[in-house]
Amino acid sequence: MYKTIDDVKMFEFKQLGDERGHLVVAECGKEIPFIIQRVFYIYGSDATVVRGKHANRRSEFVLVNVAGTSMVDVEDVYGAKKTFSLDRPHVGLYLPTMIWKDMYKFSSDSVLLCMSNAVYDADEYIRDYQEYCSIKEKIASKS
Ligand code: TYD
């Protein structure tokens, strides 16, 4: 019922371009598996900062480090964990709903582009890790 770590996917965008430079396209229904309703980007975070630290009940995301690099730790409600490195502007990371995520180790030039299927709604964010863990415990007790 809930999405798992196996639904988190790293993928490569096709690189278009020529002698003038590169071009990457993010199109709904092609590279992006949802209709984009929100775009935001994170920059100016340094290597000591941990961002994210939340799960989303309804928002899905594709993250792309369009400049610089960062790391993303993800966890699902079954307790599985994985780490991804975003280090190229043509690599995307798809994050489905209910995945806990921490973004960290931002390079000083990092610009982390985030595309989402949903407009911002603070109420669908789970920001308390204990709350997330209590969902995990409920699931574990049912299995
Ligand atoms: P936050 O969710 O803490 O950023 P991140 O998880 O990427 O580190 O968001 C920082 C602030 O920006 C917080 O006050 C909420 C606000 N915000 C919006 O208003 N709309 C948005 O789409 C996002 C992502 C954040």
Side-chain angles (χ1 to χ4, degrees):
M1 154 187 177
Y2 287 106
K3 299 292 182 181
T4 75
I5 215 85
D6 292 334
D7 298 305
V8 176
K9 302 273 187 220
M10 183 156 252
F11 64 94
E12 291 211 3
F13 290 89
K14 195 170 167 187
Q15 286 190 92
L16 306 173
D18 49 37
E19 65 284 350
R20 297 168 300 164
H22 301 291
L23 187 151
V24 165
V25 181
E27 227 175 320
C28 306
K30 292 185 180 170
E31 298 81 5
I32 308 299
F34 49 72
I35 294 171
I36 298 167
Q37 295 222 46
R38 175 167 51 133
V39 172
F40 56 96
Y41 44 94
I42 294 168
Y43 61 98
S45 296
D46 66 32
T48 64
V49 169
V50 181
R51 301 199 61 130
K53 297 203 268 186
H54 48 58
N56 295 76
R57 293 183 183 278
R58 287 189 295 279
S59 293
E60 303 166 55
F61 299 94
V62 169
L63 310 185
V64 182
N65 248 114
V66 292
T69 59
S70 69
M71 304 287 290
V72 188
D73 284 350
V74 295
E75 181 179 357
D76 67 23
V77 288
Y78 306 98
K81 296 179 182 184
K82 222 166 172 177
T83 297
F84 293 91
S85 173
L86 291 173
D87 56 4
R88 286 163 295 162
H90 61 283
V91 165
L93 181 65
Y94 169 68
L95 299 169
T97 55
M98 288 305 283
I99 298 293
W100 188 270
K101 48 206 164 293
D102 291 345
M103 292 93 86
Y104 60 101
K105 221 171 174 179
F106 295 94
S107 63
S108 56
D109 59 346
S110 173
V111 181
L112 180 59
L113 176 71
C114 308
M115 295 168 265
S116 176
N117 67 321
V119 295
Y120 184 67
D121 172 8
D123 292 341
E124 63 99 22
Y125 278 68
I126 302 170
R127 291 184 182 272
D128 178 357
Y129 188 62
Q130 286 315 313
E131 185 185 342
Y132 190 73
C133 287
S134 69
I135 296 169
K136 286 200 303 186
E137 282 158 20
K138 266 188 211 152
I139 290 166
S141 69
K142 279 182 196 156
S143 62

